[in-house]
Amino acid sequence: MATSYSTAAQVVEALHSAANPIEEAKIRNRVDEDEAVIGVRMGTLFDIAKHAAGLPDAELDALFEHEAYEPRLAAFCILDFRARRKLADDQRAALAHIYLDRHDSISTWDMVDRAAPRVLGWPILIGAVGDSVLDDLARADDPLRRRSAITAPLWFIKEGSTADVERGLAIASSLDDDRHPRVRSAVQIYRKHARRRLQRHGNP
């Protein structure tokens, strides 16, 4: 694998080079019928994205705008890899705004789950982004935006206070009547981890 990728075309070429019909069949089970799929194993895709974390903004935009599932997932993985770095608050806010601005590129739940906790939840936790964005996402028509609303606060469980965890539980409560399975499952995941965190810290 190359040391690094500097263009979207190089990333897409690497993804195509790693294509596997077996993986394509697996991915087909979780994407829309008309969505283009290359067929790349997740571990391989993550490695490619890690080596593309330094892509210029215009090249990252090209991945977000790609018709196929894997280049767009790679773009959100790149955001996640960037969020793992030591960053100033304004840099974290910038990543969160990219995530929000590019949310229409999200077509599957795994794009949300890969990026939302660190890329969105972390800057909200430190106050670099206002937490009202979670309420806005929770009220959205798009179920994947609603999934972002409850997946981002997973970072609160990892790094926040009891009050932060309870803020996430308030979002979960606002989604109690949501009938979409991808939202319901995310609410259940948040509640499970929140309960463990609160019990570990002596809360009922």
Side-chain angles (χ1 to χ4, degrees), residues 24-71:
E24 181 181 358
K26 292 178 182 178
I27 294 167
R28 281 273 168 223
N29 291 327
R30 64 175 182 272
V31 302
D32 290 340
E33 184 177 348
D34 60 350
E35 186 165 8
V37 168
I38 297 172
V40 182
R41 186 178 66 87
M42 288 299 100
T44 301
L45 186 148
F46 296 156
D47 285 342
I48 291 170
K50 186 175 183 178
H51 285 83
L55 277 186
D57 290 346
E59 299 298 326
L60 184 60
D61 287 343
L63 292 181
F64 282 124
E65 294 167 3
H66 201 281
E67 65 174 359
Y69 159 80
E70 286 92 344

Side-chain angles (χ1 to χ4, degrees), residues 123-125 127-137 156 164 167 171:
I124 291 174
L125 179 63
V129 172
D131 71 350
S132 62
V133 70
L134 297 177
D135 299 302
D136 294 339
L137 289 167
F156 301 177
D164 296 319
R167 173 68 172 114
I171 296 295

Side-chain angles (χ1 to χ4, degrees), residues 80-175:
D80 179 70
F81 282 121
R82 290 180 179 180
R84 294 167 187 256
R85 299 170 175 170
K86 185 176 181 179
L87 300 174
D89 289 1
D90 61 336
Q91 292 174 309
R92 294 207 176 278
L95 288 180
H97 288 303
I98 293 173
Y99 179 88
L100 294 169
D101 290 345
R102 287 297 186 173
H103 208 290
D104 286 345
S105 296
I106 295 177
S107 59
T108 58
W109 60 268
D110 50 358
M111 295 182 187
V112 172
D113 291 12
R114 178 67 185 186
R118 281 188 179 84
V119 176
L120 183 57
W122 192 338
I124 291 174
L125 179 63
I126 63 175
V129 172
D131 71 350
S132 62
V133 70
L134 297 177
D135 299 302
D136 294 339
L137 289 167
R139 290 191 293 264
D141 292 335
D142 177 11
L144 290 172
R145 289 181 183 270
R146 302 198 300 275
R147 188 176 178 103
S148 283
I150 192 57
T151 301
L154 288 172
W155 194 256
F156 301 177
I157 296 172
K158 180 176 174 61
E159 298 291 344
S161 66
T162 296
D164 296 319
V165 176
E166 290 173 346
R167 173 68 172 114
L169 287 171
I171 296 295
S173 294
S174 75
L175 295 169

